[in-house]
Amino acid sequence: MKKVAVILAGCGSLDGSEINEAVLLLLALDQHDIEYQAFAPDAYQAEVCNHASKQRAMERRNMLVEAARIVRGNILPLTKFNADEFDALLFPGGSGAAKNLFTYAYDGINFRVLKDVEKAIKDIHAQGKPIGAMCIAPLMVAKVLGGVNVTMGSGECRQAKELPMIGCRHTETTHGGVAIDKENKVFSTPCFMLDASLKDIYQGAWNLVEEMVKA
């Protein structure tokens, strides 16, 4: 892999992309000498949260504008994504991803996936290129592709038990573990789906990239 796309959903675990996961994923890519380009939908977040009080805030924020904070402004609108230009596609997680990129936080397993996100996943998959997903994001990839194997961490968590409802399988993993679907080139790691430390998140991000490089 020489260049990959990373799709973000804003900035902050409760209403955007999980910042620790996003930054440590970018670090892991850099350590593997892989160039990355960040993308985000140019649209309002589903909601805005005060991360100190954990309460919803009565304001509006744009996903692209907020996600730009994570990558020092080096970001493009998701409509500019072209699968031909990248060797892989990656998604950090966060509760906000499950509100903005797909609607699991509101609709449960009957969730919808944002059209541009769905298209990006399908376009990369159609070219036989790897897809990596962290935390809650593997659930979204599973829904779009169907019939894939991913991890949500513990097999006892709600999301793991719901995967068969969308025709997918679950592999139980612990901190730093990576579930590998070789046939579909889908790679996933649990991150904050488990009670994780920053060290655990880094290990998961590094291992995820390492396995994708081998694909």
Side-chain angles (χ1 to χ4, degrees), residues 51-78:
H51 281 67
S53 67
K54 307 293 191 292
Q55 299 299 310
R56 186 168 181 171
M58 293 298 103
E59 58 181 279
R60 303 182 80 185
R61 295 189 184 183
N62 179 285
M63 281 183 268
L64 178 67
V65 173
E66 292 301 299
R69 297 171 180 269
I70 299 175
V71 290
R72 297 172 62 86
N74 181 23
I75 196 165
L76 295 172
L78 186 51

mmCIF file with all atom_site columns, all heavy atoms in Angstrom, residues 51-78:
data_model
loop_
_atom_site.group_PDB
_atom_site.id
_atom_site.type_symbol
_atom_site.label_atom_id
_atom_site.label_alt_id
_atom_site.label_comp_id
_atom_site.label_asym_id
_atom_site.label_entity_id
_atom_site.label_seq_id
_atom_site.pdbx_PDB_ins_code
_atom_site.Cartn_x
_atom_site.Cartn_y
_atom_site.Cartn_z
_atom_site.occupancy
_atom_site.B_iso_or_equiv
_atom_site.pdbx_formal_charge
_atom_site.auth_seq_id
_atom_site.auth_comp_id
_atom_site.auth_asym_id
_atom_site.auth_atom_id
_atom_site.pdbx_PDB_model_num
ATOM 1   N N   . HIS A 1 51 ? -18.524 17.286 25.360 1.00 0.00 ? 51 HIS A N   1
ATOM 2   C CA  . HIS A 1 51 ? -17.781 16.118 25.813 1.00 0.00 ? 51 HIS A CA  1
ATOM 3   C C   . HIS A 1 51 ? -17.380 16.193 27.284 1.00 0.00 ? 51 HIS A C   1
ATOM 4   O O   . HIS A 1 51 ? -16.928 15.193 27.851 1.00 0.00 ? 51 HIS A O   1
ATOM 5   C CB  . HIS A 1 51 ? -16.555 15.887 24.935 1.00 0.00 ? 51 HIS A CB  1
ATOM 6   C CG  . HIS A 1 51 ? -16.880 15.233 23.625 1.00 0.00 ? 51 HIS A CG  1
ATOM 7   N ND1 . HIS A 1 51 ? -17.614 15.853 22.639 1.00 0.00 ? 51 HIS A ND1 1
ATOM 8   C CD2 . HIS A 1 51 ? -16.595 13.996 23.151 1.00 0.00 ? 51 HIS A CD2 1
ATOM 9   C CE1 . HIS A 1 51 ? -17.759 15.043 21.614 1.00 0.00 ? 51 HIS A CE1 1
ATOM 10  N NE2 . HIS A 1 51 ? -17.149 13.897 21.891 1.00 0.00 ? 51 HIS A NE2 1
ATOM 11  N N   . ALA A 1 52 ? -17.551 17.344 27.905 1.00 0.00 ? 52 ALA A N   1
ATOM 12  C CA  . ALA A 1 52 ? -17.286 17.468 29.340 1.00 0.00 ? 52 ALA A CA  1
ATOM 13  C C   . ALA A 1 52 ? -18.489 16.999 30.148 1.00 0.00 ? 52 ALA A C   1
ATOM 14  O O   . ALA A 1 52 ? -18.361 16.249 31.113 1.00 0.00 ? 52 ALA A O   1
ATOM 15  C CB  . ALA A 1 52 ? -16.947 18.908 29.697 1.00 0.00 ? 52 ALA A CB  1
ATOM 16  N N   . SER A 1 53 ? -19.674 17.420 29.728 1.00 0.00 ? 53 SER A N   1
ATOM 17  C CA  . SER A 1 53 ? -20.895 17.061 30.459 1.00 0.00 ? 53 SER A CA  1
ATOM 18  C C   . SER A 1 53 ? -21.572 15.818 29.900 1.00 0.00 ? 53 SER A C   1
ATOM 19  O O   . SER A 1 53 ? -22.457 15.247 30.526 1.00 0.00 ? 53 SER A O   1
ATOM 20  C CB  . SER A 1 53 ? -21.889 18.221 30.419 1.00 0.00 ? 53 SER A CB  1
ATOM 21  O OG  . SER A 1 53 ? -22.362 18.424 29.089 1.00 0.00 ? 53 SER A OG  1
ATOM 22  N N   . LYS A 1 54 ? -21.162 15.399 28.687 1.00 0.00 ? 54 LYS A N   1
ATOM 23  C CA  . LYS A 1 54 ? -21.781 14.274 27.970 1.00 0.00 ? 54 LYS A CA  1
ATOM 24  C C   . LYS A 1 54 ? -23.226 14.579 27.564 1.00 0.00 ? 54 LYS A C   1
ATOM 25  O O   . LYS A 1 54 ? -23.980 13.663 27.234 1.00 0.00 ? 54 LYS A O   1
ATOM 26  C CB  . LYS A 1 54 ? -21.738 12.976 28.806 1.00 0.00 ? 54 LYS A CB  1
ATOM 27  C CG  . LYS A 1 54 ? -20.373 12.586 29.323 1.00 0.00 ? 54 LYS A CG  1
ATOM 28  C CD  . LYS A 1 54 ? -19.439 12.207 28.201 1.00 0.00 ? 54 LYS A CD  1
ATOM 29  C CE  . LYS A 1 54 ? -18.161 11.569 28.705 1.00 0.00 ? 54 LYS A CE  1
ATOM 30  N NZ  . LYS A 1 54 ? -17.291 12.462 29.436 1.00 0.00 ? 54 LYS A NZ  1
ATOM 31  N N   . GLN A 1 55 ? -23.583 15.838 27.557 1.00 0.00 ? 55 GLN A N   1
ATOM 32  C CA  . GLN A 1 55 ? -24.930 16.237 27.201 1.00 0.00 ? 55 GLN A CA  1
ATOM 33  C C   . GLN A 1 55 ? -24.965 16.786 25.774 1.00 0.00 ? 55 GLN A C   1
ATOM 34  O O   . GLN A 1 55 ? -23.985 17.333 25.277 1.00 0.00 ? 55 GLN A O   1
ATOM 35  C CB  . GLN A 1 55 ? -25.456 17.304 28.166 1.00 0.00 ? 55 GLN A CB  1
ATOM 36  C CG  . GLN A 1 55 ? -25.528 16.844 29.612 1.00 0.00 ? 55 GLN A CG  1
ATOM 37  C CD  . GLN A 1 55 ? -26.453 15.658 29.811 1.00 0.00 ? 55 GLN A CD  1
ATOM 38  O OE1 . GLN A 1 55 ? -27.604 15.674 29.358 1.00 0.00 ? 55 GLN A OE1 1
ATOM 39  N NE2 . GLN A 1 55 ? -25.948 14.631 30.477 1.00 0.00 ? 55 GLN A NE2 1
ATOM 40  N N   . ARG A 1 56 ? -26.122 16.662 25.159 1.00 0.00 ? 56 ARG A N   1
ATOM 41  C CA  . ARG A 1 56 ? -26.294 17.197 23.809 1.00 0.00 ? 56 ARG A CA  1
ATOM 42  C C   . ARG A 1 56 ? -26.297 18.720 23.854 1.00 0.00 ? 56 ARG A C   1
ATOM 43  O O   . ARG A 1 56 ? -26.876 19.324 24.764 1.00 0.00 ? 56 ARG A O   1
ATOM 44  C CB  . ARG A 1 56 ? -27.602 16.683 23.208 1.00 0.00 ? 56 ARG A CB  1
ATOM 45  C CG  . ARG A 1 56 ? -27.801 17.055 21.750 1.00 0.00 ? 56 ARG A CG  1
ATOM 46  C CD  . ARG A 1 56 ? -28.938 16.280 21.130 1.00 0.00 ? 56 ARG A CD  1
ATOM 47  N NE  . ARG A 1 56 ? -29.116 16.615 19.722 1.00 0.00 ? 56 ARG A NE  1
ATOM 48  C CZ  . ARG A 1 56 ? -29.916 15.970 18.910 1.00 0.00 ? 56 ARG A CZ  1
ATOM 49  N NH1 . ARG A 1 56 ? -30.628 14.937 19.358 1.00 0.00 ? 56 ARG A NH1 1
ATOM 50  N NH2 . ARG A 1 56 ? -30.033 16.335 17.645 1.00 0.00 ? 56 ARG A NH2 1
ATOM 51  N N   . ALA A 1 57 ? -25.634 19.334 22.881 1.00 0.00 ? 57 ALA A N   1
ATOM 52  C CA  . ALA A 1 57 ? -25.569 20.792 22.788 1.00 0.00 ? 57 ALA A CA  1
ATOM 53  C C   . ALA A 1 57 ? -26.471 21.275 21.659 1.00 0.00 ? 57 ALA A C   1
ATOM 54  O O   . ALA A 1 57 ? -26.556 20.642 20.606 1.00 0.00 ? 57 ALA A O   1
ATOM 55  C CB  . ALA A 1 57 ? -24.135 21.243 22.528 1.00 0.00 ? 57 ALA A CB  1
ATOM 56  N N   . MET A 1 58 ? -27.134 22.393 21.883 1.00 0.00 ? 58 MET A N   1
ATOM 57  C CA  . MET A 1 58 ? -28.052 22.922 20.887 1.00 0.00 ? 58 MET A CA  1
ATOM 58  C C   . MET A 1 58 ? -27.299 23.805 19.891 1.00 0.00 ? 58 MET A C   1
ATOM 59  O O   . MET A 1 58 ? -27.402 25.032 19.902 1.00 0.00 ? 58 MET A O   1
ATOM 60  C CB  . MET A 1 58 ? -29.169 23.706 21.577 1.00 0.00 ? 58 MET A CB  1
ATOM 61  C CG  . MET A 1 58 ? -30.101 22.848 22.423 1.00 0.00 ? 58 MET A CG  1
ATOM 62  S SD  . MET A 1 58 ? -30.979 21.600 21.419 1.00 0.00 ? 58 MET A SD  1
ATOM 63  C CE  . MET A 1 58 ? -30.086 20.109 21.813 1.00 0.00 ? 58 MET A CE  1
ATOM 64  N N   . GLU A 1 59 ? -26.501 23.183 19.054 1.00 0.00 ? 59 GLU A N   1
ATOM 65  C CA  . GLU A 1 59 ? -25.778 23.891 18.012 1.00 0.00 ? 59 GLU A CA  1
ATOM 66  C C   . GLU A 1 59 ? -25.568 22.954 16.830 1.00 0.00 ? 59 GLU A C   1
ATOM 67  O O   . GLU A 1 59 ? -25.853 21.763 16.922 1.00 0.00 ? 59 GLU A O   1
ATOM 68  C CB  . GLU A 1 59 ? -24.435 24.403 18.532 1.00 0.00 ? 59 GLU A CB  1
ATOM 69  C CG  . GLU A 1 59 ? -23.523 23.327 19.078 1.00 0.00 ? 59 GLU A CG  1
ATOM 70  C CD  . GLU A 1 59 ? -22.212 23.894 19.616 1.00 0.00 ? 59 GLU A CD  1
ATOM 71  O OE1 . GLU A 1 59 ? -21.310 24.158 18.786 1.00 0.00 ? 59 GLU A OE1 1
ATOM 72  O OE2 . GLU A 1 59 ? -22.107 24.073 20.841 1.00 0.00 ? 59 GLU A OE2 1
ATOM 73  N N   . ARG A 1 60 ? -25.083 23.500 15.722 1.00 0.00 ? 60 ARG A N   1
ATOM 74  C CA  . ARG A 1 60 ? -24.854 22.692 14.528 1.00 0.00 ? 60 ARG A CA  1
ATOM 75  C C   . ARG A 1 60 ? -23.389 22.791 14.135 1.00 0.00 ? 60 ARG A C   1
ATOM 76  O O   . ARG A 1 60 ? -22.795 23.864 14.205 1.00 0.00 ? 60 ARG A O   1
ATOM 77  C CB  . ARG A 1 60 ? -25.746 23.166 13.377 1.00 0.00 ? 60 ARG A CB  1
ATOM 78  C CG  . ARG A 1 60 ? -27.222 23.148 13.700 1.00 0.00 ? 60 ARG A CG  1
ATOM 79  C CD  . ARG A 1 60 ? -28.052 23.582 12.508 1.00 0.00 ? 60 ARG A CD  1
ATOM 80  N NE  . ARG A 1 60 ? -28.219 22.495 11.555 1.00 0.00 ? 60 ARG A NE  1
ATOM 81  C CZ  . ARG A 1 60 ? -28.830 22.624 10.376 1.00 0.00 ? 60 ARG A CZ  1
ATOM 82  N NH1 . ARG A 1 60 ? -29.304 23.796 10.006 1.00 0.00 ? 60 ARG A NH1 1
ATOM 83  N NH2 . ARG A 1 60 ? -28.960 21.588 9.563  1.00 0.00 ? 60 ARG A NH2 1
ATOM 84  N N   . ARG A 1 61 ? -22.824 21.659 13.733 1.00 0.00 ? 61 ARG A N   1
ATOM 85  C CA  . ARG A 1 61 ? -21.440 21.639 13.286 1.00 0.00 ? 61 ARG A CA  1
ATOM 86  C C   . ARG A 1 61 ? -21.331 20.772 12.032 1.00 0.00 ? 61 ARG A C   1
ATOM 87  O O   . ARG A 1 61 ? -22.040 19.785 11.880 1.00 0.00 ? 61 ARG A O   1
ATOM 88  C CB  . ARG A 1 61 ? -20.513 21.109 14.380 1.00 0.00 ? 61 ARG A CB  1
ATOM 89  C CG  . ARG A 1 61 ? -20.448 22.000 15.605 1.00 0.00 ? 61 ARG A CG  1
ATOM 90  C CD  . ARG A 1 61 ? -19.370 21.553 16.561 1.00 0.00 ? 61 ARG A CD  1
ATOM 91  N NE  . ARG A 1 61 ? -19.378 22.356 17.771 1.00 0.00 ? 61 ARG A NE  1
ATOM 92  C CZ  . ARG A 1 61 ? -18.503 22.232 18.757 1.00 0.00 ? 61 ARG A CZ  1
ATOM 93  N NH1 . ARG A 1 61 ? -17.549 21.312 18.676 1.00 0.00 ? 61 ARG A NH1 1
ATOM 94  N NH2 . ARG A 1 61 ? -18.580 22.994 19.834 1.00 0.00 ? 61 ARG A NH2 1
ATOM 95  N N   . ASN A 1 62 ? -20.395 21.142 11.178 1.00 0.00 ? 62 ASN A N   1
ATOM 96  C CA  . ASN A 1 62 ? -20.171 20.450 9.917  1.00 0.00 ? 62 ASN A CA  1
ATOM 97  C C   . ASN A 1 62 ? -19.119 19.356 10.091 1.00 0.00 ? 62 ASN A C   1
ATOM 98  O O   . ASN A 1 62 ? -18.060 19.600 10.672 1.00 0.00 ? 62 ASN A O   1
ATOM 99  C CB  . ASN A 1 62 ? -19.720 21.476 8.869  1.00 0.00 ? 62 ASN A CB  1
ATOM 100 C CG  . ASN A 1 62 ? -19.439 20.865 7.521  1.00 0.00 ? 62 ASN A CG  1
ATOM 101 O OD1 . ASN A 1 62 ? -18.417 20.221 7.324  1.00 0.00 ? 62 ASN A OD1 1
ATOM 102 N ND2 . ASN A 1 62 ? -20.342 21.076 6.580  1.00 0.00 ? 62 ASN A ND2 1
ATOM 103 N N   . MET A 1 63 ? -19.385 18.157 9.592  1.00 0.00 ? 63 MET A N   1
ATOM 104 C CA  . MET A 1 63 ? -18.462 17.032 9.747  1.00 0.00 ? 63 MET A CA  1
ATOM 105 C C   . MET A 1 63 ? -17.103 17.307 9.130  1.00 0.00 ? 63 MET A C   1
ATOM 106 O O   . MET A 1 63 ? -16.062 17.004 9.718  1.00 0.00 ? 63 MET A O   1
ATOM 107 C CB  . MET A 1 63 ? -19.058 15.771 9.112  1.00 0.00 ? 63 MET A CB  1
ATOM 108 C CG  . MET A 1 63 ? -20.092 15.070 9.941  1.00 0.00 ? 63 MET A CG  1
ATOM 109 S SD  . MET A 1 63 ? -20.646 13.557 9.123  1.00 0.00 ? 63 MET A SD  1
ATOM 110 C CE  . MET A 1 63 ? -22.065 14.187 8.216  1.00 0.00 ? 63 MET A CE  1
ATOM 111 N N   . LEU A 1 64 ? -17.091 17.875 7.942  1.00 0.00 ? 64 LEU A N   1
ATOM 112 C CA  . LEU A 1 64 ? -15.832 18.161 7.258  1.00 0.00 ? 64 LEU A CA  1
ATOM 113 C C   . LEU A 1 64 ? -15.011 19.194 8.026  1.00 0.00 ? 64 LEU A C   1
ATOM 114 O O   . LEU A 1 64 ? -13.807 19.016 8.236  1.00 0.00 ? 64 LEU A O   1
ATOM 115 C CB  . LEU A 1 64 ? -16.124 18.664 5.844  1.00 0.00 ? 64 LEU A CB  1
ATOM 116 C CG  . LEU A 1 64 ? -14.925 19.052 4.990  1.00 0.00 ? 64 LEU A CG  1
ATOM 117 C CD1 . LEU A 1 64 ? -14.082 17.831 4.650  1.00 0.00 ? 64 LEU A CD1 1
ATOM 118 C CD2 . LEU A 1 64 ? -15.370 19.747 3.706  1.00 0.00 ? 64 LEU A CD2 1
ATOM 119 N N   . VAL A 1 65 ? -15.658 20.254 8.464  1.00 0.00 ? 65 VAL A N   1
ATOM 120 C CA  . VAL A 1 65 ? -14.983 21.321 9.198  1.00 0.00 ? 65 VAL A CA  1
ATOM 121 C C   . VAL A 1 65 ? -14.414 20.792 10.515 1.00 0.00 ? 65 VAL A C   1
ATOM 122 O O   . VAL A 1 65 ? -13.276 21.094 10.888 1.00 0.00 ? 65 VAL A O   1
ATOM 123 C CB  . VAL A 1 65 ? -15.941 22.496 9.454  1.00 0.00 ? 65 VAL A CB  1
ATOM 124 C CG1 . VAL A 1 65 ? -15.308 23.531 10.373 1.00 0.00 ? 65 VAL A CG1 1
ATOM 125 C CG2 . VAL A 1 65 ? -16.356 23.133 8.137  1.00 0.00 ? 65 VAL A CG2 1
ATOM 126 N N   . GLU A 1 66 ? -15.189 19.988 11.213 1.00 0.00 ? 66 GLU A N   1
ATOM 127 C CA  . GLU A 1 66 ? -14.737 19.455 12.498 1.00 0.00 ? 66 GLU A CA  1
ATOM 128 C C   . GLU A 1 66 ? -13.622 18.420 12.322 1.00 0.00 ? 66 GLU A C   1
ATOM 129 O O   . GLU A 1 66 ? -12.634 18.415 13.063 1.00 0.00 ? 66 GLU A O   1
ATOM 130 C CB  . GLU A 1 66 ? -15.914 18.840 13.252 1.00 0.00 ? 66 GLU A CB  1
ATOM 131 C CG  . GLU A 1 66 ? -16.949 19.852 13.719 1.00 0.00 ? 66 GLU A CG  1
ATOM 132 C CD  . GLU A 1 66 ? -16.355 20.894 14.640 1.00 0.00 ? 66 GLU A CD  1
ATOM 133 O OE1 . GLU A 1 66 ? -15.838 20.528 15.710 1.00 0.00 ? 66 GLU A OE1 1
ATOM 134 O OE2 . GLU A 1 66 ? -16.367 22.083 14.274 1.00 0.00 ? 66 GLU A OE2 1
ATOM 135 N N   . ALA A 1 67 ? -13.766 17.538 11.341 1.00 0.00 ? 67 ALA A N   1
ATOM 136 C CA  . ALA A 1 67 ? -12.754 16.504 11.109 1.00 0.00 ? 67 ALA A CA  1
ATOM 137 C C   . ALA A 1 67 ? -11.431 17.119 10.677 1.00 0.00 ? 67 ALA A C   1
ATOM 138 O O   . ALA A 1 67 ? -10.359 16.548 10.923 1.00 0.00 ? 67 ALA A O   1
ATOM 139 C CB  . ALA A 1 67 ? -13.243 15.511 10.057 1.00 0.00 ? 67 ALA A CB  1
ATOM 140 N N   . ALA A 1 68 ? -11.485 18.295 10.049 1.00 0.00 ? 68 ALA A N   1
ATOM 141 C CA  . ALA A 1 68 ? -10.264 18.977 9.622  1.00 0.00 ? 68 ALA A CA  1
ATOM 142 C C   . ALA A 1 68 ? -9.352  19.283 10.799 1.00 0.00 ? 68 ALA A C   1
ATOM 143 O O   . ALA A 1 68 ? -8.134  19.404 10.648 1.00 0.00 ? 68 ALA A O   1
ATOM 144 C CB  . ALA A 1 68 ? -10.617 20.268 8.886  1.00 0.00 ? 68 ALA A CB  1
ATOM 145 N N   . ARG A 1 69 ? -9.914  19.394 12.017 1.00 0.00 ? 69 ARG A N   1
ATOM 146 C CA  . ARG A 1 69 ? -9.117  19.635 13.213 1.00 0.00 ? 69 ARG A CA  1
ATOM 147 C C   . ARG A 1 69 ? -8.116  18.496 13.450 1.00 0.00 ? 69 ARG A C   1
ATOM 148 O O   . ARG A 1 69 ? -7.001  18.715 13.928 1.00 0.00 ? 69 ARG A O   1
ATOM 149 C CB  . ARG A 1 69 ? -10.020 19.749 14.447 1.00 0.00 ? 69 ARG A CB  1
ATOM 150 C CG  . ARG A 1 69 ? -10.990 20.924 14.422 1.00 0.00 ? 69 ARG A CG  1
ATOM 151 C CD  . ARG A 1 69 ? -11.967 20.798 15.587 1.00 0.00 ? 69 ARG A CD  1
ATOM 152 N NE  . ARG A 1 69 ? -12.928 21.893 15.619 1.00 0.00 ? 69 ARG A NE  1
ATOM 153 C CZ  . ARG A 1 69 ? -12.756 23.029 16.272 1.00 0.00 ? 69 ARG A CZ  1
ATOM 154 N NH1 . ARG A 1 69 ? -11.641 23.219 16.963 1.00 0.00 ? 69 ARG A NH1 1
ATOM 155 N NH2 . ARG A 1 69 ? -13.681 23.970 16.254 1.00 0.00 ? 69 ARG A NH2 1
ATOM 156 N N   . ILE A 1 70 ? -8.531  17.274 13.154 1.00 0.00 ? 70 ILE A N   1
ATOM 157 C CA  . ILE A 1 70 ? -7.703  16.098 13.434 1.00 0.00 ? 70 ILE A CA  1
ATOM 158 C C   . ILE A 1 70 ? -6.498  16.035 12.511 1.00 0.00 ? 70 ILE A C   1
ATOM 159 O O   . ILE A 1 70 ? -5.408  15.603 12.911 1.00 0.00 ? 70 ILE A O   1
ATOM 160 C CB  . ILE A 1 70 ? -8.545  14.808 13.310 1.00 0.00 ? 70 ILE A CB  1
ATOM 161 C CG1 . ILE A 1 70 ? -9.698  14.821 14.325 1.00 0.00 ? 70 ILE A CG1 1
ATOM 162 C CG2 . ILE A 1 70 ? -7.683  13.561 13.490 1.00 0.00 ? 70 ILE A CG2 1
ATOM 163 C CD1 . ILE A 1 70 ? -10.654 13.650 14.184 1.00 0.00 ? 70 ILE A CD1 1
ATOM 164 N N   . VAL A 1 71 ? -6.680  16.477 11.264 1.00 0.00 ? 71 VAL A N   1
ATOM 165 C CA  . VAL A 1 71 ? -5.635  16.309 10.246 1.00 0.00 ? 71 VAL A CA  1
ATOM 166 C C   . VAL A 1 71 ? -5.045  17.652 9.812  1.00 0.00 ? 71 VAL A C   1
ATOM 167 O O   . VAL A 1 71 ? -4.501  17.777 8.719  1.00 0.00 ? 71 VAL A O   1
ATOM 168 C CB  . VAL A 1 71 ? -6.179  15.541 9.019  1.00 0.00 ? 71 VAL A CB  1
ATOM 169 C CG1 . VAL A 1 71 ? -6.427  14.092 9.387  1.00 0.00 ? 71 VAL A CG1 1
ATOM 170 C CG2 . VAL A 1 71 ? -7.452  16.193 8.488  1.00 0.00 ? 71 VAL A CG2 1
ATOM 171 N N   . ARG A 1 72 ? -5.159  18.663 10.675 1.00 0.00 ? 72 ARG A N   1
ATOM 172 C CA  . ARG A 1 72 ? -4.556  19.966 10.426 1.00 0.00 ? 72 ARG A CA  1
ATOM 173 C C   . ARG A 1 72 ? -4.982  20.553 9.081  1.00 0.00 ? 72 ARG A C   1
ATOM 174 O O   . ARG A 1 72 ? -4.210  21.185 8.358  1.00 0.00 ? 72 ARG A O   1
ATOM 175 C CB  . ARG A 1 72 ? -3.028  19.870 10.504 1.00 0.00 ? 72 ARG A CB  1
ATOM 176 C CG  . ARG A 1 72 ? -2.521  19.459 11.888 1.00 0.00 ? 72 ARG A CG  1
ATOM 177 C CD  . ARG A 1 72 ? -1.025  19.184 11.898 1.00 0.00 ? 72 ARG A CD  1
ATOM 178 N NE  . ARG A 1 72 ? -0.244  20.372 11.555 1.00 0.00 ? 72 ARG A NE  1
ATOM 179 C CZ  . ARG A 1 72 ? 0.146   21.306 12.421 1.00 0.00 ? 72 ARG A CZ  1
ATOM 180 N NH1 . ARG A 1 72 ? -0.176  21.173 13.705 1.00 0.00 ? 72 ARG A NH1 1
ATOM 181 N NH2 . ARG A 1 72 ? 0.859   22.334 12.032 1.00 0.00 ? 72 ARG A NH2 1
ATOM 182 N N   . GLY A 1 73 ? -6.242  20.303 8.744  1.00 0.00 ? 73 GLY A N   1
ATOM 183 C CA  . GLY A 1 73 ? -6.820  20.894 7.545  1.00 0.00 ? 73 GLY A CA  1
ATOM 184 C C   . GLY A 1 73 ? -6.616  20.115 6.268  1.00 0.00 ? 73 GLY A C   1
ATOM 185 O O   . GLY A 1 73 ? -7.185  20.467 5.224  1.00 0.00 ? 73 GLY A O   1
ATOM 186 N N   . ASN A 1 74 ? -5.831  19.054 6.312  1.00 0.00 ? 74 ASN A N   1
ATOM 187 C CA  . ASN A 1 74 ? -5.569  18.250 5.107  1.00 0.00 ? 74 ASN A CA  1
ATOM 188 C C   . ASN A 1 74 ? -6.706  17.254 4.887  1.00 0.00 ? 74 ASN A C   1
ATOM 189 O O   . ASN A 1 74 ? -6.587  16.068 5.182  1.00 0.00 ? 74 ASN A O   1
ATOM 190 C CB  . ASN A 1 74 ? -4.232  17.515 5.234  1.00 0.00 ? 74 ASN A CB  1
ATOM 191 C CG  . ASN A 1 74 ? -3.910  16.698 3.996  1.00 0.00 ? 74 ASN A CG  1
ATOM 192 O OD1 . ASN A 1 74 ? -4.412  16.976 2.910  1.00 0.00 ? 74 ASN A OD1 1
ATOM 193 N ND2 . ASN A 1 74 ? -3.070  15.692 4.166  1.00 0.00 ? 74 ASN A ND2 1
ATOM 194 N N   . ILE A 1 75 ? -7.811  17.765 4.366  1.00 0.00 ? 75 ILE A N   1
ATOM 195 C CA  . ILE A 1 75 ? -9.005  16.934 4.228  1.00 0.00 ? 75 ILE A CA  1
ATOM 196 C C   . ILE A 1 75 ? -9.793  17.372 3.002  1.00 0.00 ? 75 ILE A C   1
ATOM 197 O O   . ILE A 1 75 ? -9.716  18.531 2.580  1.00 0.00 ? 75 ILE A O   1
ATOM 198 C CB  . ILE A 1 75 ? -9.876  17.027 5.503  1.00 0.00 ? 75 ILE A CB  1
ATOM 199 C CG1 . ILE A 1 75 ? -10.904 15.897 5.567  1.00 0.00 ? 75 ILE A CG1 1
ATOM 200 C CG2 . ILE A 1 75 ? -10.528 18.401 5.637  1.00 0.00 ? 75 ILE A CG2 1
ATOM 201 C CD1 . ILE A 1 75 ? -11.525 15.710 6.938  1.00 0.00 ? 75 ILE A CD1 1
ATOM 202 N N   . LEU A 1 76 ? -10.529 16.422 2.436  1.00 0.00 ? 76 LEU A N   1
ATOM 203 C CA  . LEU A 1 76 ? -11.351 16.691 1.261  1.00 0.00 ? 76 LEU A CA  1
ATOM 204 C C   . LEU A 1 76 ? -12.781 16.241 1.511  1.00 0.00 ? 76 LEU A C   1
ATOM 205 O O   . LEU A 1 76 ? -13.019 15.322 2.310  1.00 0.00 ? 76 LEU A O   1
ATOM 206 C CB  . LEU A 1 76 ? -10.804 15.940 0.039  1.00 0.00 ? 76 LEU A CB  1
ATOM 207 C CG  . LEU A 1 76 ? -9.417  16.353 -0.479 1.00 0.00 ? 76 LEU A CG  1
ATOM 208 C CD1 . LEU A 1 76 ? -8.957  15.373 -1.551 1.00 0.00 ? 76 LEU A CD1 1
ATOM 209 C CD2 . LEU A 1 76 ? -9.462  17.770 -1.025 1.00 0.00 ? 76 LEU A CD2 1
ATOM 210 N N   . PRO A 1 77 ? -13.753 16.856 0.823  1.00 0.00 ? 77 PRO A N   1
ATOM 211 C CA  . PRO A 1 77 ? -15.122 16.362 0.930  1.00 0.00 ? 77 PRO A CA  1
ATOM 212 C C   . PRO A 1 77 ? -15.226 14.944 0.376  1.00 0.00 ? 77 PRO A C   1
ATOM 213 O O   . PRO A 1 77 ? -14.540 14.602 -0.602 1.00 0.00 ? 77 PRO A O   1
ATOM 214 C CB  . PRO A 1 77 ? -15.942 17.336 0.067  1.00 0.00 ? 77 PRO A CB  1
ATOM 215 C CG  . PRO A 1 77 ? -15.017 18.338 -0.460 1.00 0.00 ? 77 PRO A CG  1
ATOM 216 C CD  . PRO A 1 77 ? -13.624 17.984 -0.075 1.00 0.00 ? 77 PRO A CD  1
ATOM 217 N N   . LEU A 1 78 ? -16.049 14.140 0.989  1.00 0.00 ? 78 LEU A N   1
ATOM 218 C CA  . LEU A 1 78 ? -16.164 12.733 0.598  1.00 0.00 ? 78 LEU A CA  1
ATOM 219 C C   . LEU A 1 78 ? -16.608 12.573 -0.857 1.00 0.00 ? 78 LEU A C   1
ATOM 220 O O   . LEU A 1 78 ? -16.299 11.568 -1.499 1.00 0.00 ? 78 LEU A O   1
ATOM 221 C CB  . LEU A 1 78 ? -17.132 12.009 1.539  1.00 0.00 ? 78 LEU A CB  1
ATOM 222 C CG  . LEU A 1 78 ? -17.268 10.497 1.376  1.00 0.00 ? 78 LEU A CG  1
ATOM 223 C CD1 . LEU A 1 78 ? -15.911 9.808  1.364  1.00 0.00 ? 78 LEU A CD1 1
ATOM 224 C CD2 . LEU A 1 78 ? -18.166 9.934  2.458  1.00 0.00 ? 78 LEU A CD2 1
#
